[in-house]
Amino acid sequence: MTPEELLAARDRVVPDVVADGLLVLFCGINPGLMSAATGHHFAHPGNRFWPVLHQSGFTPRQLKPSEQGELPRYGLGITNVVARATARADEIGAEEFREGGRALSAKVEELAPQWLAVVGVTAYRTAFGDRRARIGPQERRVGGARVWALPNPSGLNAHWTVRTMAEEYARLRAAAGSHTSP
């Protein structure tokens, strides 16, 4: 992928991977340029979402970003708080996050997943005006779904290792009663 191809992906939207009645709808902050260029969520090689998803027990093997279409068979899906791609999440302002939170609430209400898992507690705080939110289950519901704030799997998040993220994701899996069999 050339730098020009990546830059051309700015502001593109990566289609959601969703179905009605999912067990867990994972929600990223917004697509990065690699995701927008490839059309696959969490596509940057440094992103740890796919290894963490497997190591936490949500999937029976580590999926590649290009295999994201398999997620609904495990009761899982992916969307984003903000749909448009940027090079960095800090390119998104607070109002755009709040607008994304309102759109996400409507989407969750329509799709009716049991859990909404926001991968990035800061994005959750901004989108839903909950400055005190911490990693873990939240008191509020969004669109009728229970909410869990998860650590951001970006390689830039040095506070969490793959192992510690997998442990937190596994806590959600246990609460949701998930299994890896389709």
Side-chain angles (χ1 to χ4, degrees), residues 6 8-17 29-41 68 78-86 96 107:
L6 286 176
R10 182 177 300 279
D11 295 324
R12 283 189 194 156
V13 173
V14 178
D16 292 340
V17 177
I29 297 169
N30 78 307
L33 298 182
M34 181 67 75
S35 290
T38 63
H40 306 301
H41 294 274
Q68 67 186 14
I78 304 176
T79 189
N80 288 288
V81 176
V82 174
R84 73 180 182 92
T86 61
E96 191 171 4
K107 185 180 300 184

Side-chain angles (χ1 to χ4, degrees), residues 8-173:
R10 182 177 300 279
D11 295 324
R12 283 189 194 156
V13 173
V14 178
D16 292 340
V17 177
V18 296
D20 290 337
L22 294 169
L23 181 65
V24 179
L25 178 60
F26 289 94
C27 181
I29 297 169
N30 78 307
L33 298 182
M34 181 67 75
S35 290
T38 63
H40 306 301
H41 294 274
F42 303 106
H44 191 281
N47 195 293
R48 300 168 294 176
F49 178 79
W50 299 102
V52 167
L53 198 66
H54 170 61
Q55 289 181 30
S56 63
F58 274 110
T59 59
R61 65 178 179 84
Q62 184 174 321
L63 300 176
K64 299 173 191 159
S66 61
E67 297 175 304
Q68 67 186 14
E70 293 184 29
L71 288 176
R73 66 190 275 211
Y74 302 113
L76 310 174
I78 304 176
T79 189
N80 288 288
V81 176
V82 174
R84 73 180 182 92
T86 61
R88 296 179 324 275
D90 66 4
E91 295 176 43
I92 301 166
E95 182 53 35
E96 191 171 4
F97 270 117
R98 287 188 291 272
E99 288 173 17
R102 289 188 289 273
L104 179 59
S105 292
K107 185 180 300 184
V108 170
E109 190 169 336
E110 179 183 329
L111 294 171
Q114 292 177 34
W115 287 87
L116 172 65
V118 181
V119 295
V121 70
T122 303
Y124 173 79
R125 289 175 185 149
T126 306
F128 296 102
D130 186 352
R131 287 182 278 180
R132 294 179 294 146
R134 301 283 180 261
I135 296 293
Q138 306 301 306
E139 289 185 25
R140 81 175 310 152
R141 287 180 179 254
V142 171
R146 296 187 65 191
V147 178
W148 199 291
L150 290 168
N152 184 337
S154 167
L156 299 175
N157 182 358
H159 298 291
W160 292 80
T161 65
V162 169
R163 183 185 57 78
T164 59
M165 276 191 283
E167 290 169 357
E168 185 61 31
Y169 281 54
R171 286 182 58 218
L172 166 60
R173 185 181 55 78

